[in-house]
Every structure is written in structure tokens, then in C-alpha cells.
Amino acid sequence: MKTVFKILMVAFATIFLSSCLTGEYHSTPRMFIASLYRTTPAGVCDTLSRLDTIQVGDTMRAVMVLDGVYNTLVAFQVSADRTAFDYRLECDSVAGRLLAEGSKPEKGSLYFAKDCYQFFTTLYYVPLQAGKYDFTFTLSSTAGEKYSPVTGTLTQVVR
């Protein structure tokens, strides 16, 4: 019994150690909304959950974290119905230095500079008409094809 156990341990150790020999890490990039804020036309500011219904004219800000984990970030794209929302990405001046040429935050498109592993941005949007609409997010990194790009959706109900 002890011999079988030793053989199994050596086999498992060989498999686990051989997976680290390539020196390449591949991980699925992550994106999430850290917080969601609303300012109403009357000036009231509050925090919402992603499931809350909003009103036409509310000013929304969704603080987002984009994380490449072990791989560097390449691009981030936000898309939604432009007739339903006025939207853009907001970045401060420090984060702006991590953006590459071709980035258009005002159109929801970011390209990242070399060696950018994590990025913070804010999705600003104002609903223009009532209905149920989706924001689609696509984040890509230098990870292999199996891992990147990754997509996500935020469904927003507007009254």
C-alpha cells in the first residue's frame, strides 16, 4: 500500500511541476463594477445596486475595475444603444497615462499602454428614454485565446 501511495505522489508531483515549465501564465481578465452612483435631476445623490430601476435623466456613474491578473491588459470596449443612453468612460489624469494611442474614452473605447495590469475607470451614462437596455463590456488581455477576451453585460431598466 505504501508503494502505491509513493508512486501516485510522484506521478501527481510530476504533472503539477511540468505545468509550470513553460513560464507562461494565462489567466482570464476580470472586470467588475465596484460601485454605482446616481444623481437625479433634482440633485439627490445615492448609491444603487445593479438591479435598481432608474429614471430618464438620472446621471449614473459606475466605478469599474479592470484586471488582467497575470497578463497585461490590451483593450476595453463598452457598447450600448446610443438612442437610449448618452455614455462615455471617465479617467483621471493619472489613469490617462496608462492609455495608449487610439483610446477614445468619450466613445467607450480604451487601449492600454505596455505593462498595464490593472485599470480603474468610471462609466458615466444618462438614460434618454424608458425601456430595458444592455451595456456590453469586452475586456482583452495578452492571455491565450482560451482566456481572452471576456465579455459581460449590465442590464439597466429605465422608467
Side-chain angles (χ1 to χ4, degrees):
M1 185 69 159
K2 287 184 179 183
T3 306
V4 173
F5 180 72
K6 288 179 185 177
I7 292 172
L8 286 175
M9 289 304 292
V10 169
F12 284 129
T14 304
I15 291 169
F16 291 129
L17 292 175
S18 67
S19 67
C20 298
L21 292 177
T22 63
E24 294 180 23
Y25 297 103
H26 294 284
S27 57
T28 303
R30 299 180 295 188
M31 59 184 153
F32 60 92
I33 295 175
S35 55
L36 185 62
Y37 301 98
R38 168 180 61 185
T39 305
T40 66
V44 176
C45 185
D46 57 356
T47 305
L48 301 177
S49 81
R50 292 175 302 168
L51 303 174
D52 287 335
T53 300
I54 60 175
Q55 306 291 321
V56 172
D58 286 351
T59 300
M60 303 296 299
R61 283 194 167 78
V63 178
M64 300 188 73
V65 179
L66 311 175
D67 187 9
V69 189
Y70 295 115
N71 299 95
T72 58
L73 297 172
V74 174
F76 179 64
Q77 179 70 42
V78 178
S79 58
D81 184 351
R82 287 277 180 190
T83 62
F85 294 104
D86 174 23
Y87 68 91
R88 66 177 178 265
L89 293 170
E90 297 177 330
C91 309
D92 63 22
S93 60
V94 174
R97 288 187 250 160
L98 297 172
L99 295 177
E101 195 172 318
S103 292
K104 295 185 177 169
E106 69 280 359
K107 294 189 177 189
S109 179
L110 302 177
Y111 297 97
F112 301 102
K114 184 181 176 189
D115 296 332
C116 179
Y117 287 88
Q118 193 173 60
F119 192 83
F120 296 87
T121 188
T122 301
L123 172 64
Y124 165 94
Y125 62 99
V126 177
L128 303 174
Q129 61 188 24
K132 185 176 181 180
Y133 304 100
D134 289 335
F135 280 96
T136 302
F137 306 102
T138 305
L139 180 62
S140 60
S141 71
T142 57
E145 250 182 70
K146 273 179 22 180
Y147 307 97
S148 175
V150 65
T151 59
T153 304
L154 168 66
T155 301
Q156 187 66 74
V157 178
V158 181
R159 280 195 265 161

